[in-house]
């Protein structure tokens, strides 16, 4: 944006007064007052105000946020200022110097968002945070490409939960405007910026589990039968950081908290998602089974191996365990050996699941 346009906009705004990020300008009886943390001028004529404002970094900063970004009190503006550390302790010149250099970064889920100042324009970049030091990445500029890019993980498995920590690697979106950055982030993590902003403004509307469950209908109406204790197990299975990057803000109800850690994510989860409700329905049906006592013949090592296998599946580590890792209880050869030894057509240790 040209300095002439910036100065003209500042002169127009001086009538109502300007107070923004350390810049103060007003039209007084004795002329214009122009102040920044670095300088102070009073009694300026219109031409003199134009002279001191031309090339001033505080003026350029004011014009970007007030006229190019605009939208005061909107999620978009709040997010862009957060990305650029605009509400921090650094002065405007210090922040702009950082933007002209390596840039300023923030992590948003698994995204690394970088803001830079190039040729006087604010531009943004988005990549997987684990690709921060990678140069050989496939470059994109159209936010719409993000929609298809994040549908599958690195192993080409479909990602039913957009906030699961399974974003694919190897890509970067470059040269984005502020509006394009917002669209890209929203394609990757829908509604997260809006909910983050509502939370910052104290306006996040949270729907607790019991209320969400009671409004379900059809085959999902049974999820209201999940007890507080069972909900603890369900949130431990589905809602911790290893499974979802949202920070859970809902509880069982207003009076009953859930002890499962809520997560450390930057953006909040305001209600149980559809994937959680579907899982809860299955958990309710599983809890209908009556407990039975089974007798298995296992060595202590085999008992520990069964526990290792459950742990590896629950933590998603099975693909990491190589055939040569025979000391790991969840090793494929170890598991196949245990099956050959302890399982037959009747089940584990020859014990049928049902008496009949």
């Amino acid at each position: 944006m040209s300095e002439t346009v910036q100065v003209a906009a500042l002169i127009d705004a001086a009538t109502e007064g300007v107070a923004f990020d350390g810049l103060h300008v007003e039209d007084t009886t004795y002329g214009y007052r122009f102040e920044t943390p670095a300088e102070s001028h009073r009694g300026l004529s219109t031409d003199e105000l134009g002279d001191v404002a031309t090339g001033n970094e505080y003026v350029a900063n004011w014009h970007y946020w007030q006229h190019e970004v605009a939208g005061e009190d909107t999620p978009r503006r709040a997010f862009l200022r957060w990305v650029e550390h605009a509400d921090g302790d650094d002065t405007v010149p210090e922040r702009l110097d950082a933007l002209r250099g390596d840039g300023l970064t923030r992590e948003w889920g698994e995204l690394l968002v970088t803001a830079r100042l190039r040729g006087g324009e604010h531009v943004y970049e988005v990549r997987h945070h684990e690709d921060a030091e990678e140069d050989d990445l496939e470059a994109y500029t159209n936010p719409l490409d993000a929609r298809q890019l994040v549908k599958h993980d690195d192993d080409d498995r479909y990602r039913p939960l957009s906030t699961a920590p399974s974003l694919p690697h190897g890509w970067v979106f470059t040269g984005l405007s502020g509006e394009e950055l917002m669209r890209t982030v929203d394609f990757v993590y829908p509604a997260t910026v809006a909910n983050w902003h509502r939370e910052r403004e104290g306006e996040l509307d949270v729907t607790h589990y019991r209320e969400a469950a009671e409004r379900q209908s059809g085959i999902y109406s049974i999820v209201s039968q999940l007890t507080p204790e069972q909900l603890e197990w369900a949130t431990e299975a589905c809602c911790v950081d290893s499974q979802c990057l949202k920070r859970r803000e809902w509880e069982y109800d207003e009076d009953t908290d859930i002890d499962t850690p809520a997560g450390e994510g930057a953006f909040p989860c305001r209600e149980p998602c559809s994937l959680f409700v579907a899982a809860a329905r299955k958990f309710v049906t599983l809890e209908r089974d009556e407990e039975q006592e089974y007798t298995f013949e296992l060595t202590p090592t085999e008992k520990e191996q069964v526990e290792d296998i459950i742990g590896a599946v629950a933590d998603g580590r099975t693909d990491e365990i190589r055939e040569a890792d025979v000391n790991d209880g969840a090793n494929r050869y170890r598991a196949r050996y245990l099956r050959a030894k302890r399982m037959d057509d009747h089940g584990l240790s020859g014990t049928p699941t049902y008496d009949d």
Side-chain angles (χ1 to χ4, degrees), residues 23-140:
L23 173 67
H24 296 272
V25 182
E26 64 176 333
D27 187 3
T28 73
T29 304
Y30 306 101
Y32 292 103
R33 177 175 72 93
F34 180 95
E35 290 184 355
T36 72
E39 58 185 304
S40 177
H41 305 276
R42 295 175 182 272
L44 298 175
S45 67
T46 300
D47 288 342
E48 289 171 334
L49 174 60
D51 289 340
V52 299
T54 299
N56 188 284
E57 292 186 315
Y58 284 88
V59 174
N61 175 73
W62 165 81
H63 190 272
Y64 175 69
W65 292 111
Q66 296 297 89
H67 289 268
E68 295 181 52
V69 175
E72 193 166 358
D73 296 327
T74 61
R76 172 176 56 87
R77 178 185 171 110
F79 184 75
L80 292 176
R81 284 184 65 79
W82 177 75
V83 168
E84 294 199 14
H85 299 245
D87 297 321
D89 296 329
D90 289 345
T91 66
V92 168
E94 289 171 338
R95 180 157 43 84
L96 295 182
D97 280 345
L99 290 171
R100 292 188 191 98
D102 293 334
L104 293 168
T105 63
R106 292 283 195 182
E107 288 191 14
W108 189 252
E110 289 189 294
L111 295 179
L112 180 68
V113 183
T114 303
R116 295 187 176 91
L117 195 59
R118 295 291 183 262
E121 299 293 329
H122 292 248
V123 294
Y124 304 91
E125 176 188 284
V126 181
R127 63 175 69 197
H128 196 294
H129 74 99
E130 293 178 351
D131 289 339
E133 304 300 325
E134 297 295 328
D135 296 323
D136 187 21
L137 300 174
E138 188 168 357
Y140 297 86

